[in-house]
Amino acid sequence: DDKVESILKEDAIYNMCEVEEDTLTALENSDSCYKCPSASNGVDRCISPYSLVLLARQYLANNYTSEFATTAATSIPCDNLRTLWTPSAQSEFTSMLQKCANWALVVSSNNQSAEQKDFGNLDECPFSQFMPTVVDDLFPASYPPTVRYTSSFYAT
């Protein structure tokens, strides 16, 4: 069977979250990351990487416009993320990602600035700081919508 599973499934999001947490711990232990004080206890922590996990956490918190310099300690823990990542949440989040990917394609399609482009009836991306590198190049046209690979960017 050559069916491709999407990274947006609950087990994949959970596994990616756990790996990001392990990576943040290693970066903290070697003092190799950009740190900010944690809102919960004031202790400096590495900021969360920019990734699908961060976008999923923002989606679940209904906070699409926050700064990305949030620490993992103040966000949704991986176990909770997995529990909250219901089929309904996955579907709505995937739809939002499609809007964002399509928006990014239109914005980057020629040399005009965003203000000069005719977006027609294309919905704007709800994430204020969306970067298309969190989805693969086939995602905008895939059916069913499938993210085959992604990137996580750490502030080091």
Side-chain angles (χ1 to χ4, degrees):
D1 187 4
D2 56 343
K3 183 180 176 193
V4 175
E5 286 292 321
S6 179
I7 294 170
L8 298 173
K9 299 291 185 183
E10 66 274 2
D11 287 340
I13 285 283
Y14 171 78
N15 290 336
M16 192 166 30
C17 184
E18 289 288 312
V19 168
E20 286 182 5
E21 294 295 324
D22 291 345
T23 302
L24 285 173
T25 298
L27 290 170
E28 282 179 2
N29 290 342
S30 65
D31 201 26
S32 300
C33 61
Y34 181 80
K35 296 180 180 180
C36 289
S38 169
S40 62
N41 62 12
V43 174
D44 285 354
R45 295 276 329 260
C46 291
I47 63 171
S48 297
Y50 182 84
S51 68
L52 278 177
V53 172
L54 178 64
L55 293 179
R57 285 172 164 159
Q58 288 185 316
Y59 162 76
L60 291 171
N62 197 25
N63 186 10
Y64 312 122
T65 59
S66 74
E67 294 294 321
F68 289 137
T70 58
T71 59
T74 61
S75 61
I76 299 169
C78 296
D79 287 335
N80 292 2
L81 177 64
R82 182 185 220 170
T83 302
L84 296 169
W85 204 243
T86 63
S88 173
Q90 289 175 44
S91 177
E92 187 174 318
F93 181 76
T94 300
S95 177
M96 291 171 68
L97 273 183
Q98 286 178 305
K99 286 179 189 177
C100 293
N102 287 326
W103 181 264
L105 284 172
V106 170
V107 168
S108 66
S109 64
N110 60 39
N111 293 333
Q112 291 178 314
S113 70
E115 293 79 27
Q116 296 171 316
K117 291 186 182 289
D118 177 14
F119 292 103
N121 62 359
L122 184 65
D123 290 332
E124 187 172 345
C125 177
F127 291 103
S128 65
Q129 299 178 29
F130 177 78
M131 294 187 329
T133 51
V134 296
V135 296
D136 61 86
D137 60 335
L138 299 177
F139 173 70
S142 64
Y143 187 82
T146 303
V147 176
R148 291 162 181 81
Y149 58 88
T150 186
S151 299
S152 299
F153 297 93
Y154 293 83
T156 58

